Amino acid sequence: MSQYKHVLIAVDLTEESHQVIEKGKAIAERNNAKVSLIHALEPLGFAYGGDIPMDLSSIQDQLDQHARDKISELAAPLDIPENQQHILVGMPDSEIHHLAKEQDVDLIVVGSHGRHGLSLLLGSTSTGVLHGAKCDVLAVRIHKEKKS
Ligand code: AMP
């Protein structure tokens, strides 16, 4: 059976990321594979276009720093070095595809909420990642965390 060599785990940096990381980590360990993390930051200019007549670059820098702090917290227990923690600016599915190709990733791991109704029609990141991926994609079903 072929083994995975490089597993890319996509994280939205919410609490749910732990569930996605757990599964990705277990597969990577079984395959003795390298693990990388990716988070895509949506550029503020995309969301607000030219509607807001102000320089958004310092807010973008703060968001970037916040994302770097969060991803390094997630990476620490897995011993993932900094150069395998990727914060990229753009749409999650296209950034994930781009990085996967560039880094010879052979398995992408994403979370999936198993949506239905309108949000299913609108699509999700996991669907976007699956479409157009050049390697295997594992969609980890996200379970609602029980509040204690
Ligand atoms: P969603 O479709 O937005 O509910 O997200 C499902 C999964 O897509 C998450 O569990 C992550 O694996 C991935 N994902 C969502 N947003 C991002 C993001 N900004 N960067 C990287 N991965 C993401």
Side-chain angles (χ1 to χ4, degrees), residues 1 11 30 45-46 64 72 75 80 95 115 129 131 133 144:
M1 202 183 87
V11 285
R30 257 181 266 141
F46 269 25
D64 188 90
S72 78
I80 299 175
E95 292 309 315
R115 292 185 172 89
V129 171
H131 288 239
K144 280 212 169 107

Side-chain angles (χ1 to χ4, degrees), residues 8-12 17 20 36-39 96 108-111 129:
L8 177 64
I9 308 175
V11 285
D12 58 9
S17 303
V20 185
S36 298
L37 296 179
I38 178 171
H39 176 72
I96 292 165
I108 300 169
V109 182
V110 285
V129 171

Side-chain angles (χ1 to χ4, degrees), residues 4 6-10 20 24 27 93 96-97 100 105-112 124-141:
Y4 292 118
H6 191 178
V7 176
L8 177 64
I9 308 175
V20 185
I27 293 180
D93 46 1
I96 292 165
H97 288 151
V105 163
D106 45 12
L107 178 67
I108 300 169
V109 182
V110 285
S112 164
S124 65
T125 308
S126 49
T127 311
V129 171
L130 186 60
H131 288 239
K134 300 275 188 278
C135 64
D136 291 359
V137 176
L138 172 68
V140 175
R141 187 59 170 266

